[in-house]
Amino acid sequence: MHSDLQSAGETFRSAFPDREYPKISFGTTFPEACRKHVDSTFHASRVYIISSASLAKNTEALVSLQLALGSKVVGTRVGMKPHTLWSDILQIVKEAQDVGADLFVTLGAGSLTDGAKIIALALANDAATFDALAALPTDSSTRRKHVLAPTIPIISIPTSLSGGEYSDLAGGTNDHTHRKHSFSEPNKGPALVILDAALTTTTPASIWLSTGIRAVDHCVEVLCSLQGKAEADKNAEKGLSLLVPGLLRCKQDSYDTEARHHCQMGVIDAMTAIRHGVPMGASHGIGHQLGPLGVGHGETSCILLPTVCKYNADRNANVERQRKVADILWRYPEVQDVLNARGLREEETQLSAVLDAIIRELGMPRSLKDVGVGKDQIEELAENSLHDRWVATNPVPLKEKQQVLELLEMAIE
């Protein structure tokens, strides 16, 4: 299943060794890869494109894609509002239905991919209204007994490192209730992910680097878990070896497409590590609740990951596993340069300090204050965090509000 097909510079294979989909394609330009696979892989003739508004406005990316696909493009949506609103989803459901779309292509960062997953699910279940859509989420009290699997495939052309294109899960927000719902089984993620490192040079550095640290967070929390698995550790270590040096190189030279490609491949390793079912820790658990306060997905990891590592180490929870991760990071020359420049010594430096130095070097936020979250908000944040499953699987299980508050106090400034 994990076959590598290489033709005219393109590599085309399954992203994961144990699953046929998604396939990944890299080594050729995204318009050329998309044109080829629309024809030969999907045999599609009615393509609906969902494009990032900033890519459409500031670059030639959308025009290049439309020209490559020609008359097969039957509809284009430019931009979706943040948090994947149901009102946007239902508009596109109607348009896609009207034009008889047989394939979706998303061009841009993660929320568009989430949108396309929910749109394909809605179309399969004739969900054209808020009430009908409300019967599809996994966490809905009014969920239908039989939810049909999507039949329209998705090609994703991502421009960040968030990794949502490798997951079947999607989140969408009901504008009427302002509640975010999760859609899983029988939801389907993209059938093909096209990776074009040159395209990602259009992504703002803050988004590229912070979503990269999100992928680093996946790897570190896998490696630091007390319920770790050898296979997951191997994938996470490989992910770190590509992501951390790659991100530091991208910071130095935003046009280093080799480093960008390494980061893209590192995300796949991070997602492979997660797929082994190792529980995450408090960086993920509390991070999920920071999002609704207006903090970007990747920024939550920049702020919380070093703090969570310090909190756990101070309580002797997973000291050996943290030491191992610190030793791994010290191996990379790019990391050594950063740490030596900051006067850190390998034998004395905790993992939290290593991560702090790397994230500061990338110019990313390191405190709640940096992202406008004040002391007056941490009570509610602590309370909401206790509902997330990953705080209980933190190496120091967080079961009391006071524990979460202590951790958040460390991250305020």
Side-chain angles (χ1 to χ4, degrees):
M1 286 242 234
H2 201 55
S3 58
D4 264 27
L5 294 177
Q6 287 191 282
S7 63
E10 184 198 25
T11 298
F12 177 62
R13 63 169 171 85
S14 299
F16 304 115
D18 61 336
R19 268 182 83 171
E20 189 175 357
Y21 296 104
K23 300 287 191 190
I24 57 171
S25 163
F26 58 89
T28 184
T29 65
F30 74 90
E32 176 53 31
C34 196
R35 184 198 60 72
K36 174 185 165 183
H37 291 291
V38 163
D39 288 346
S40 62
T41 304
F42 298 102
H43 310 292
S45 58
R46 306 189 66 76
V47 180
Y48 191 102
I49 299 171
I50 306 172
S51 169
S52 139
S54 59
L55 273 180
K57 185 180 165 193
N58 303 323
T59 75
E60 296 297 311
L62 175 57
V63 173
S64 302
L65 183 61
Q66 288 169 324
L67 286 171
L69 298 180
S71 61
K72 293 194 171 189
V73 178
V74 292
T76 301
R77 166 72 177 223
V78 174
M80 288 181 73
K81 295 183 199 80
H83 308 298
T84 319
L85 299 182
W86 287 12
S87 52
D88 278 359
I89 285 164
L90 291 171
Q91 276 176 15
I92 300 172
V93 164
K94 182 175 183 336
E95 283 174 30
Q97 213 159 24
D98 288 348
V99 298
D102 61 4
L103 177 74
F104 289 110
V105 177
T106 65
L107 178 65
S111 56
L112 302 177
T113 310
D114 266 20
K117 293 178 204 175
I118 300 169
I119 291 158
L121 185 70
L123 283 164
N125 290 278
D126 293 323
T129 65
F130 270 79
D131 285 347
L133 197 54
L136 302 181
T138 328
D139 56 4
S140 169
S141 55
T142 59
R143 192 173 199 233
R144 281 164 52 160
K145 251 189 187 162
H146 302 292
V147 178
L148 302 174
T151 55
I152 301 177
I154 301 165
I155 295 177
S156 171
I157 308 168
T159 53
S160 79
L161 296 167
S162 63
E165 58 276 6
Y166 299 107
S167 164
D168 292 335
L169 305 177
T173 305
N174 183 332
D175 325 35
H176 294 171
T177 62
H178 306 296
R179 185 180 157 193
K180 189 164 189 175
H181 290 271
S182 54
F183 297 77
S184 57
E185 286 288 325
N187 219 30
K188 282 185 190 168
L192 171 63
V193 179
I194 296 173
L195 301 173
D196 185 335
L199 172 67
T200 71
T201 59
T202 63
T203 304
S206 59
I207 292 173
W208 180 257
L209 299 173
S210 66
T211 55
I213 290 296
R214 183 70 177 168
V216 168
D217 194 354
H218 298 333
C219 298
V220 170
E221 288 219 312
V222 162
L223 287 163
C224 287
S225 173
L226 296 177
Q227 298 172 52
K229 297 176 182 175
E231 211 44 46
D233 285 0
K234 210 164 85 179
N235 296 135
E237 192 172 327
K238 187 171 171 229
L240 285 181
S241 75
L242 292 165
L243 283 159
V244 177
L247 290 167
L248 290 167
R249 281 173 58 186
C250 288
K251 175 66 178 173
Q252 284 182 333
D253 176 6
S254 62
Y255 292 99
D256 184 340
T257 51
E258 182 187 62
R260 286 176 173 272
H261 179 66
H262 287 175
C263 290
Q264 290 178 316
M265 301 312 284
V267 169
I268 298 174
D269 290 312
M271 298 305 282
T272 308
I274 285 179
R275 285 170 52 77
H276 290 285
V278 175
M280 296 289 100
S283 180
H284 281 72
I286 300 170
H288 289 154
Q289 307 309 317
L290 263 181
L293 298 180
V295 183
H297 213 49
E299 291 178 332
T300 64
S301 295
C302 296
I303 295 159
L304 290 169
L305 181 60
T307 308
V308 168
C309 288
K310 181 159 176 40
Y311 180 90
N312 291 334
D314 287 352
R315 287 153 186 79
N316 293 316
N318 56 353
V319 177
E320 275 180 42
R321 288 187 77 92
Q322 286 204 33
R323 182 70 258 158
K324 183 187 165 194
V325 182
D327 289 345
I328 289 167
L329 292 171
W330 271 98
R331 281 184 215 152
Y332 314 135
E334 296 89 345
V335 175
Q336 288 171 19
D337 290 347
V338 169
L339 301 180
N340 290 334
R342 290 171 183 265
L344 299 176
R345 293 163 57 119
E346 184 170 357
E347 57 283 357
E348 297 166 3
T349 308
Q350 286 193 332
L351 175 60
S352 56
V354 173
L355 292 167
D356 175 70
I358 291 166
I359 293 165
R360 286 183 191 280
E361 185 69 22
L362 295 175
M364 293 295 100
R366 273 294 298 114
S367 70
L368 293 171
K369 187 182 177 185
D370 288 345
V371 291
V373 175
K375 220 170 178 173
D376 56 328
Q377 292 168 284
I378 68 167
E379 284 276 336
E380 192 181 351
L381 178 57
E383 218 153 271
N384 291 341
S385 297
L386 288 175
H387 299 296
D388 195 283
R389 62 183 169 150
W390 298 137
V391 297
T393 57
N394 189 56
V396 176
L398 303 180
K399 295 177 177 174
E400 306 291 331
K401 182 178 168 183
Q402 191 51 41
Q403 291 175 290
V404 186
L405 282 171
E406 280 172 29
L407 198 154
L408 290 170
E409 291 279 353
M410 295 163 64
I412 280 178
E413 288 191 32

